[in-house]
Amino acid sequence: MKVVIVGGVAGGATAAARIRRLDEKAEIVVFERSGYISYANCGLPYYIGGVIEDPEDLTLQTPESFFSRFRIHMNVHHEVTAIHPDRKTVSVKNLQTGEVFEENYDKLLLSPGAKPVWPDLPGMDSDKLFTLRTVEDTFRIKEFIHQNNPKSAVMVGGGFIGLEVAENLRELGLDVTIVQRPKQLMNPFDADMASFIHAEMRKHGVKLALGYSVEGFAEKDGGLDVLLKGQPSLHADMVVLAIGVTPEASLAKEAGLALGMKGSILVNDRMETSIPDIYAVGDAVQVKHYVTGEGALIALAGPANKQGRIAADNICGGDSRYLGSQGSSVIKVFDMSAATTGINETNARKSGLDVDTVILSPMSHAGYYPGGKLMTMKVVFEKETYRLLGAQIVGYDGVDKRIDVLSTAIHAKMKATDLKDLDLAYAPPYSSAKDPVNMAGFMIDNISRGLKQWHLADASKLPRDGSVTLLDTRTVGEYSRGHIDGFMNIPVDELRERIGEIEIGKPVYVICQSGLRSYIATRILEGYGFNAYNFAGGFRFYDAVMNDRALVEAAMHCGMDK
């Protein structure tokens, strides 16, 4: 059997090695357009920032090492220009010599990846404008910084690459501004959770221009002006464009393969395309979202590697299936970690799901053990069924651990109420006897048993005409340092003695700093016959989100975010 693989990074290299492990006699030929195979895309921003010092550390394998171990021919600087399914060949161009030839195959695997979105805007030909997708892109940015010593940079786009590059450029001492059309960074997160990411970026001196549309670029004063719709232009010594990626599926389209959303390659759960003996994996394919069951494009290394293994199994006569992608991911944002899995509240509602959320702010480990830090967790679940749909966490320690537990729970199709029953490891330096994931389960279990919540979206709608009671149960000192207008203050420890101050028959909307004391107050009120609602997230959460919204709006109307 002869297998030809197009693309030698995550999915392609994984598939090649797996095929060899399963079939020692197979002839395996890989064509990679760039000069590198099996490299660490996710590490590229950290090489720019100097965290990774040796460029060789980015390359997991070389063509020579791959051949030495697997006897697989890795042909770099070779571009596959056409697929001929009728005669089972591909046309290949050697980019160094210009030679063009055809290569035959028994099985063909496409792993072309995705390419950066490159909009048709004025000034896109500037040598001060960069994207980051390949090792060559990284070296180009690194060389520009070394030769020109830029003092300022604009990042266009606020996704994973945008934030990672912004952080690394900032660590190099550059003045950095992130510009993007949405009013939040990191769209996998809900806007309320993104507020904490915004605060961390601002804390480290990154300016945010959210809700701004880029209309082009213009060379000026030795740098580049970023032209903004309805706003003064931004000037910088360099600009990095990271507004997303699109599937690299031109080969598949020209060969007549069925295509999916945004021109991606359609595959089944065996990673087979619409033409026999042709498989496809990685960022170029449309997958099923594991939670919604809908088509999705999820450009992450983990799914690409799994798909490469599954395709290899099936090429070698097996029957492996890809169950879908959850989009589980984590990102370092200076000192903070931010992680997500499944779907967020925004997308769940867009999908027509009737959802609820719990928001909590637990410590990363036992409060009595030194060094514990707060994290903020948001868990999304379906009403009535309590199906676990997704989670987001931002914090400084233990974030990745909890998101992986929640990701596993979603994959196992656990109910959100089942989180309370998980038996998770505990020692004071690592967790609490009630782990944050358990705590989320306890909260959702309470809701399933009748506890009522109110949410941030309700805050502005609550009547101030006396028809409801608005109650803040924090201490007098906490209340005096900031509170929501219209809320009376009775500390929770005084509530039983002062219960007469709350009018019988009116609903009571309760808040505290993190949600714990207001929960206790809600139970007390229920015990006295009141109809009480606990605020999801606490005043800390409310204050962070509202402050962020004010800063974003002020920046849009009064100038750049500071």
Side-chain angles (χ1 to χ4, degrees):
M1 178 177 66
K2 181 176 181 180
V3 183
V4 169
I5 298 175
V6 181
V9 189
T14 295
R18 176 69 172 171
I19 292 168
R20 172 58 72 230
R21 289 195 294 270
L22 296 177
D23 187 344
E24 183 62 27
K25 303 299 183 182
E27 182 182 357
I28 306 167
V29 180
V30 180
F31 296 110
E32 166 58 42
R33 182 170 48 192
S34 75
Y36 299 87
I37 62 147
S38 190
Y39 60 82
N41 294 73
C42 302
L44 301 182
Y46 300 99
Y47 175 68
I48 292 171
V51 178
I52 298 172
E53 297 179 356
D54 188 344
E56 292 187 2
D57 289 341
L58 296 171
T59 305
L60 307 177
Q61 293 276 1
T62 65
E64 294 76 20
S65 68
F66 219 91
F67 183 81
S68 176
R69 175 157 296 180
F70 298 110
R71 296 302 188 268
I72 292 173
H73 296 283
M74 287 289 201
N75 301 283
V76 296
H77 300 300
H78 279 69
E79 181 176 10
V80 174
T81 57
I83 304 168
H84 312 291
D86 54 337
R87 57 182 185 268
K88 299 187 82 167
T89 66
V90 294
S91 295
V92 186
K93 182 177 182 180
N94 185 324
L95 299 178
Q96 292 179 313
T97 67
E99 176 195 5
V100 176
F101 59 94
E102 282 197 12
E103 189 84 17
N104 68 294
Y105 65 83
D106 296 310
K107 305 285 185 180
L108 176 65
L109 174 64
L110 304 178
S111 181
K115 58 185 177 182
V117 173
W118 193 254
D120 185 17
L121 296 174
M124 294 292 292
D125 58 346
S126 172
D127 62 1
K128 300 176 182 64
L129 181 63
F130 305 88
T131 60
L132 181 59
R133 186 68 181 174
T134 66
V135 173
E136 287 90 346
D137 294 336
T138 310
F139 291 161
R140 183 173 166 237
I141 294 172
K142 187 84 168 178
E143 185 65 18
F144 180 88
I145 293 171
H146 176 71
Q147 291 185 353
N148 297 278
N149 193 28
K151 299 297 189 293
S152 59
V154 167
M155 281 298 317
V156 182
F160 286 96
I161 293 295
L163 264 64
E164 288 169 347
V165 174
E167 174 183 340
N168 280 278
L169 292 178
R170 184 70 188 134
E171 296 285 18
L172 289 175
L174 277 71
D175 183 66
V176 178
T177 303
I178 299 178
V179 181
Q180 78 162 14
R181 187 178 301 163
K183 291 185 179 180
Q184 69 166 87
L185 303 174
M186 296 297 293
N187 284 333
F189 292 79
D190 287 312
D192 49 12
M193 295 296 286
S195 298
F196 295 90
I197 300 174
H198 298 172
E200 187 72 7
M201 298 300 284
R202 294 186 186 106
K203 174 183 171 182
H204 289 271
V206 176
K207 301 181 181 69
L208 305 181
L210 305 178
Y212 286 61
S213 294
V214 175
E215 295 192 315
F217 308 91
E219 299 268 357
K220 185 177 179 181
D221 299 332
L224 203 57
D225 273 2
V226 181
L227 310 177
L228 303 175
K229 183 178 181 180
Q231 298 284 350
S233 61
L234 293 172
H235 185 78
D237 296 328
M238 62 181 293
V239 174
V240 182
L241 196 64
I243 56 176
V245 296
T246 56
E248 182 67 272
S250 55
L251 274 176
K253 180 180 180 180
E254 292 164 7
L257 276 67
L259 302 180
M261 55 199 308
K262 296 186 178 179
S264 59
I265 305 171
L266 269 183
V267 293
N268 61 19
D269 60 359
R270 287 170 48 86
M271 309 314 298
E272 295 169 324
T273 70
S274 59
I275 293 180
D277 296 323
I278 301 180
Y279 298 75
V281 300
D283 298 351
V285 306
Q286 176 179 314
V287 298
K288 180 182 74 173
H289 196 289
Y290 187 78
V291 175
T292 66
E294 299 172 353
L297 298 177
I298 298 180
L300 293 170
N305 278 279
K306 294 182 186 73
Q307 292 159 19
R309 177 186 173 92
I310 288 166
D313 287 352
N314 295 323
I315 286 170
C316 294
D319 187 23
S320 293
R321 308 278 174 160
Y322 187 66
L323 301 178
S325 296
Q326 278 178 222
S328 302
S329 56
V330 63
I331 184 172
K332 175 183 177 293
V333 185
F334 291 100
D335 299 325
M336 174 181 278
S337 297
T340 181
T341 187
I343 55 173
N344 60 26
E345 180 186 7
T346 305
N347 290 332
R349 295 189 186 281
K350 285 180 181 178
S351 295
L353 296 171
D354 188 16
V355 302
D356 201 355
T357 65
V358 292
I359 297 167
L360 58 158
S361 300
M363 294 289 284
S364 58
H365 63 240
Y368 61 84
Y369 187 88
K373 295 182 179 179
L374 278 175
M375 65 177 73
T376 303
M377 297 175 58
K378 181 175 185 177
V379 179
V380 185
F381 59 95
E382 190 173 27
K383 291 182 180 178
E384 304 299 331
T385 68
Y386 289 90
R387 179 164 65 110
L388 188 57
L389 300 174
Q392 301 151 63
I393 312 177
V394 292
Y396 297 92
D397 189 22
V399 168
D400 55 339
K401 169 182 175 178
R402 274 67 187 215
I403 206 70
D404 282 344
V405 173
L406 289 161
S407 173
T408 303
I410 291 172
H411 186 82
K413 299 188 182 299
M414 293 174 59
K415 288 187 175 182
T417 48
D418 293 335
L419 297 175
K420 72 183 190 304
D421 300 318
L422 290 175
D423 193 349
L424 303 174
Y426 160 61
Y430 302 105
S431 184
S432 300
K434 297 177 182 178
D435 187 86
V437 174
N438 294 138
M439 289 302 303
F442 294 145
M443 294 168 68
I444 296 168
D445 183 64
N446 285 336
I447 292 169
S448 75
R449 297 171 185 268
L451 184 77
K452 296 181 285 292
Q453 292 190 111
W454 64 284
H455 294 276
L456 184 67
D458 304 317
S460 62
K461 304 172 189 174
L462 291 176
R464 265 70 171 179
D465 59 2
S467 59
V468 301
T469 298
L470 307 178
L471 177 64
D472 190 321
T473 60
R474 295 176 296 157
T475 65
V476 172
E478 288 173 312
Y479 180 84
S480 67
R481 289 190 289 272
H483 58 269
I484 304 176
D485 289 343
F487 276 70
M488 65 185 293
N489 180 219
I490 301 179
V492 66
D493 293 338
E494 302 174 14
L495 182 56
R496 291 181 179 87
E497 288 71 31
R498 298 174 60 181
I499 201 77
E501 297 177 30
I502 302 174
E503 189 174 341
I504 293 286
K506 292 181 181 179
V508 186
Y509 290 84
V510 192
I511 193 171
C512 71
Q513 189 69 9
S514 68
L516 175 59
R517 284 173 288 175
S518 55
Y519 164 64
I520 295 169
T522 299
R523 289 299 198 191
I524 294 171
L525 290 163
E526 287 176 339
Y528 280 87
F530 289 92
N531 185 20
Y533 296 79
N534 185 29
F535 180 67
F539 185 78
R540 170 183 171 270
F541 179 80
Y542 171 89
D543 195 44
V545 176
M546 298 308 292
N547 284 339
D548 177 67
R549 289 180 181 177
L551 287 170
V552 172
E553 291 302 318
M556 290 185 65
H557 295 102
C558 306
M560 197 59 56
D561 185 13
K562 303 295 184 186

